[in-house]
Amino acid sequence: VRGLLIHQNLPSSFTADEEFDELCFEFGLELDEITSEKDIISKEKGEEKAKGASDVVLYKIDVPANRYDLLCLEGLVRGLQVFKERINLPRFEKIIPAEGEGQRLIITEQTAQIRPHAVAAVLRNITFTKDRYDSFIDLQEKLHQNICRRRALVAIGTHDLDTITGPFTFTAKAPSEIKFKPLNQSKEYTASQIMDLYRTDSHLRHYLHLIENKPRYPVIYDSNGVVLSMPPIVNGDHTKISLNTRNVFIECTGTDITKAKIVLDVIVTMFSEYCEKPFTVEAVEVVYPNGKTHIYPELAYRTEKVKPEYINKKVGISETPSNLAKLLTRMCLKSHVTGNGNHLEVEIPPTRADIIHACDIVEDAAIAYGYNNIQMVIPKTYTIANQLPLNKLTELLRLDLAAAGFTEALTFALCSQEDIADKLGMDISATNAVLIANPKTTEFQVARTTLLPGLLKTIAANRKMPLPLKLFEISDIVVKDPNTDVGARNYRHLCAIYYNKSPGFEIIHGLLDRVMQVLEVPPNEENGYTIKAAEGTAFFPGRCAEVFAKGQSIGKLGVVHPDVITKFELTMPCSVLEINIEPFK
C-alpha cells in the first residue's frame, strides 16, 4: 500500500470529511488520516518544535500498490469524477510528428550490461502552476519508490526540451569521461566526483550502489554534448524544469522494459491534461543498437471479453449485463454488452496496467457494486476446521514441559552464521543452512538450523536471574532441501536447556524420559526409543548421546562443551536436549 498526501487550503469540515471518507471507501481506498504539517511535527517532536509550521489540512490516503494511476492528485480526482459519473473517461492520443520533425533517442550498445532499455515521450505546450509542478515531481518520486523498486528497475528523467537539441544519445562511458553540472549544483563534476558528493546525501545516497561498481556509467547527451542525466542517480542542472517550462522531454531508462513502458504511460496520461491540446502526447522514436526503431509512448488500449455470469458468480450478485457494463465504466474500464448479452467487451486504458486477468475486472465490478451491498449467504459446503496434528502436538508438549518446571522461550528464526557454525564448532557449509541474500544486520544472516544458540543467548541475557535456569522452546528450524519446490524444508524441534553450577545431565535425561512417556513411546529398541553414546562438536567429549526413535535418529542430548559456553559469554556448565518431534505427530 502506498500513501498519497492531498493538500487542502480550505478549512476542514467534519461533514465534508465524512463524505470524502465514505467516497474513498466506496472507491476501494482508505482515508488514513486528516492532519496538518503542524500536527505531524507536534506528535513527533513536541508542540515547541511545531510553532510556525503550516496549518494547511492534509488528507493521507492509502492507495493499493498496483494502482499507479492513483498516486497523484490528477489521477485520483479523475478516477473519482469518472466513478461519480460526472465526467467521461478521457481518451489519450499519441501524436506522431512528421518525418524529420520529431525527437529521437538513440541507444548505443555500451548500455547493454548496465541499463539496456530506454523509452521517451514529449509533453508539448504544457502549463505548470506551483501545485501542478509539485504534483509532477511528487508522482515521479512515488513511482521511483513503488514500481521502479527504488530506481533499480526504472529511473525517470524529466527535462526542459527548449534548453536542449535532439537527437539524444543514451550511452555508457567510463566515470572519468563524464562531466557535467548536477541538478541544483553550482559547478561541474566528473561522474566519480558526483558519486563522492552524494555519498552523504540523505536522498540520493540510497541509489549509488546501483552503478558505482560498474566500469561504465549510463549517461544521456543531446546533439551538442549537453548531459541530460546520469541515470539512475541525478539529472543535469542545464535541463531542469521550472514553472515556466512549456515543453517537457521525459525519458525512462531501466533494466525492465515492461516497467519502463508502464511508468512512461502513467506520467504522460496523468499530466497531458495540462497540455494546450489536453490528453495528447508527442511520440519519440527510440533507435536500438541493432538498428530497429520503436515509437513511444505506446498508450495501448486493449479489449478483454468477460462473461456476465462469470462476474456475477465470482462476486455473488445477480446483475444484468448492462448494469455490469455501467459498473465497470465507472471504474475507468469502458464496457458495453456484445453477443446478445452473452459477453461484456471491456476496454483497458493505458492507465490501468494493473488489469492483467479477468479476475482483476471482476474485482473492479465488485468495488463499483459496493462490498457492503453484497448479500451475505450461508456457504453451500459445510466444513469443520481442525488443528494441524503437528501444531496440536506442539501445544500439548508445551504444557507438559511447563509442568516439568521449564520456562518457554521464543527466539528469532534468523541468526548470524557465527551462532550456528563457529560458536558450535562447525563449518557453515556443514550446517546446510539457508542464507539470506541481503541481510540488514549480522544478527540475521541465516535461518537457524538448531534452536540451541537462541536459548544460549537467552540465558546470556538473563544471567542475573536466580539459578537454575531451565528453558525450552518448540519451534521450526530450516535446512536446505533440493527436493522441495522452494529448495528448503522446515522441521519442528524441541530444545530444552538446564543451566546451573553443575551440568545437571540427569535432569535433561529425565526430561527426555518424561517427553517419551507422554508421547507413549516405551524405552526399548524394537518399537520405542533408545539413547546411544555419540559425539558432537557442541558437546563435551564422552558426555553426549544420540536419541533414536521410530527407527531413526531424532536428536541429541548431553553436556555443552566449555568452548561453546564461553563463546556465548556464559560461565556455568549446562546440559541440553534437542530432538525432532515430527515423527510423533
Side-chain angles (χ1 to χ4, degrees):
V1 174
R2 294 287 168 188
L4 177 66
L5 273 180
I6 295 178
H7 296 256
Q8 171 62 272
N9 291 317
L10 299 172
S12 177
S13 157
F14 183 71
T15 308
D17 290 345
E18 277 192 325
E19 287 179 4
F20 184 60
D21 187 7
E22 195 173 321
L23 175 60
C24 285
F25 181 78
E26 288 174 5
F27 192 56
L29 307 177
E30 184 182 351
L31 179 59
D32 188 39
E33 188 182 3
I34 300 170
T35 183
S36 69
E37 186 183 329
K38 189 172 185 177
D39 287 343
I40 293 171
I41 296 172
S42 179
K43 285 178 185 175
E44 291 178 357
K45 300 178 181 178
E47 290 184 13
E48 195 64 34
K49 296 275 187 183
K51 285 181 180 177
S54 173
D55 282 318
V56 172
V57 178
L58 299 174
Y59 290 85
K60 278 189 176 182
I61 301 168
D62 282 342
V63 178
N66 62 344
R67 288 299 302 271
Y68 318 119
D69 57 313
L70 302 179
L71 286 176
C72 63
L73 187 58
E74 287 74 12
L76 180 64
V77 169
R78 189 186 303 158
L80 290 173
Q81 293 272 45
V82 172
F83 182 71
K84 297 297 285 183
E85 299 179 277
R86 292 179 181 173
I87 63 169
N88 293 321
L89 181 67
R91 190 159 190 89
F92 303 100
E93 184 185 351
K94 176 169 61 177
I95 296 175
I96 301 176
E99 192 171 342
E101 293 181 13
Q103 300 297 337
R104 281 195 307 152
L105 176 62
I106 301 162
I107 304 175
T108 68
E109 59 185 14
Q110 284 83 3
T111 63
Q113 302 301 318
I114 312 163
R115 297 179 85 78
H117 305 294
V119 296
V122 174
L123 292 177
R124 282 280 178 196
N125 298 315
I126 192 169
T127 304
F128 279 122
T129 63
K130 179 70 168 65
D131 288 340
R132 292 174 185 179
Y133 177 85
D134 290 344
S135 182
F136 187 59
I137 301 301
D138 191 50
L139 174 62
Q140 292 174 55
E141 189 52 38
K142 283 191 168 66
L143 290 171
H144 274 150
Q145 298 303 315
N146 189 348
I147 183 174
C148 300
R149 296 292 184 271
R150 296 173 69 82
R151 305 192 190 182
L153 300 182
V154 185
I156 308 161
T158 53
H159 314 277
D160 188 334
L161 185 58
D162 297 327
T163 65
I164 44 182
T165 309
F168 307 102
T169 305
F170 176 40
T171 186
K173 289 188 174 184
S176 58
E177 296 176 23
I178 302 170
K179 191 173 185 180
F180 67 102
K181 185 162 77 169
L183 190 65
N184 299 326
Q185 295 296 326
S186 57
K187 65 175 185 176
E188 289 190 345
Y189 296 87
T190 64
S192 302
Q193 291 170 332
I194 288 171
M195 300 299 268
D196 292 334
L197 176 68
Y198 291 125
R199 215 168 292 284
T200 55
D201 186 276
S202 60
H203 177 57
L204 295 178
R205 64 186 169 91
H206 302 292
Y207 310 119
L208 301 183
H209 71 278
L210 295 172
I211 62 168
E212 67 178 338
N213 295 322
K214 307 286 185 184
R216 294 170 177 263
Y217 289 179
V219 62
I220 301 176
Y221 292 98
D222 80 344
S223 59
N224 296 322
V226 174
V227 173
L228 277 70
S229 67
M230 187 176 77
I233 309 302
V234 69
N235 288 349
D237 190 69
H238 182 88
T239 63
K240 70 178 176 184
I241 61 172
S242 66
L243 297 183
N244 300 320
T245 298
R246 293 287 289 155
N247 300 299
V248 180
F249 178 72
I250 303 165
E251 43 84 5
C252 300
T253 61
T255 56
D256 187 322
I257 187 63
T258 304
K259 297 284 194 298
K261 290 191 286 190
I262 291 171
V263 168
L264 185 65
D265 280 353
V266 169
I267 293 174
V268 298
T269 53
M270 293 303 104
F271 288 90
S272 57
E273 69 173 275
Y274 300 135
C275 292
E276 192 172 71
K277 191 178 176 185
F279 307 114
T280 61
V281 185
E282 183 181 310
V284 172
E285 182 183 32
V286 175
V287 183
Y288 290 97
N290 60 8
K292 290 184 178 179
T293 63
H294 202 291
I295 302 296
Y296 293 106
E298 290 192 338
L299 291 182
Y301 285 85
R302 75 175 203 273
T303 56
E304 297 285 346
K305 285 192 174 181
V306 186
K307 290 186 177 181
E309 57 264 31
Y310 175 76
I311 297 176
N312 282 327
K313 183 181 177 183
K314 292 295 179 185
V315 179
I317 55 178
S318 54
E319 289 293 294
T320 63
S322 59
N323 277 357
L324 289 173
K326 190 177 178 183
L327 291 175
L328 289 170
T329 302
R330 288 175 60 204
M331 296 300 292
C332 300
L333 300 175
K334 192 176 178 181
S335 308
H336 61 272
V337 183
T338 61
N340 299 322
N342 296 330
H343 287 90
L344 290 176
E345 197 168 272
V346 184
E347 185 179 61
I348 316 298
T351 52
R352 294 301 305 273
D354 60 298
I355 304 294
I356 299 170
H357 187 272
C359 63
D360 297 312
I361 297 171
V362 172
E363 181 188 16
D364 271 17
I367 291 169
Y369 184 82
Y371 286 120
N372 287 344
N373 298 325
I374 300 171
Q375 293 294 317
M376 292 187 187
V377 293
I378 296 171
K380 293 177 182 177
T381 306
Y382 291 96
T383 57
I384 299 171
N386 212 341
Q387 197 173 13
L388 282 170
L390 183 60
N391 288 344
K392 187 174 181 180
L393 173 64
T394 299
E395 291 299 325
L396 292 171
L397 282 173
R398 280 173 177 154
L399 291 172
D400 276 298
L401 285 167
F406 282 73
T407 303
E408 185 173 14
L410 188 63
T411 61
F412 290 118
L414 300 179
C415 61
S416 68
Q417 293 188 31
E418 196 179 31
D419 286 343
I420 60 166
D422 299 347
K423 289 184 179 179
L424 298 182
M426 294 176 67
D427 187 79
I428 188 65
S429 58
T431 62
N432 215 18
V434 176
L435 276 67
I436 308 301
N438 54 342
K440 292 293 180 186
T441 70
T442 53
E443 285 297 304
F444 301 120
Q445 294 175 319
V446 293
R448 63 186 174 190
T449 56
T450 168
L451 300 180
L452 177 58
L455 290 182
L456 288 171
K457 286 161 82 174
T458 303
I459 290 175
N462 292 274
R463 282 172 296 187
K464 293 182 180 178
M465 299 292 286
L467 297 174
L469 289 177
K470 298 159 75 178
L471 302 179
F472 81 92
E473 181 174 7
I474 308 179
S475 294
D476 280 6
I477 60 104
V478 185
V479 292
K480 281 193 265 191
D481 184 350
N483 299 320
T484 62
D485 55 347
V486 294
R489 186 182 294 278
N490 285 31
Y491 290 101
R492 187 68 51 88
H493 274 206
L494 178 157
C495 185
I497 193 165
Y498 179 84
Y499 179 76
N500 202 356
K501 291 177 182 178
S502 60
F505 178 79
E506 67 283 358
I507 292 171
I508 285 295
H509 192 174
L511 183 68
L512 171 66
D513 292 340
R514 174 58 184 162
V515 168
M516 292 301 170
Q517 185 182 22
V518 298
L519 290 173
E520 297 181 347
V521 180
N524 62 62
E525 201 163 338
E526 289 180 11
N527 58 353
Y529 76 98
T530 57
I531 62 171
K532 294 179 181 177
E535 295 296 328
T537 56
F539 295 95
F540 198 87
R543 294 289 186 273
C544 173
E546 195 164 4
V547 184
F548 292 87
K550 302 216 169 187
Q552 60 183 298
S553 169
I554 61 167
K556 288 180 178 176
L557 78 158
V559 178
V560 178
H561 198 287
D563 288 348
V564 175
I565 293 171
T566 305
K567 285 174 182 174
F568 280 95
E569 299 176 7
L570 298 175
T571 54
M572 304 263 185
C574 60
S575 294
V576 67
L577 160 72
E578 183 163 4
I579 59 171
N580 178 11
I581 64 169
E582 295 207 6
F584 308 106
K585 64 184 177 183

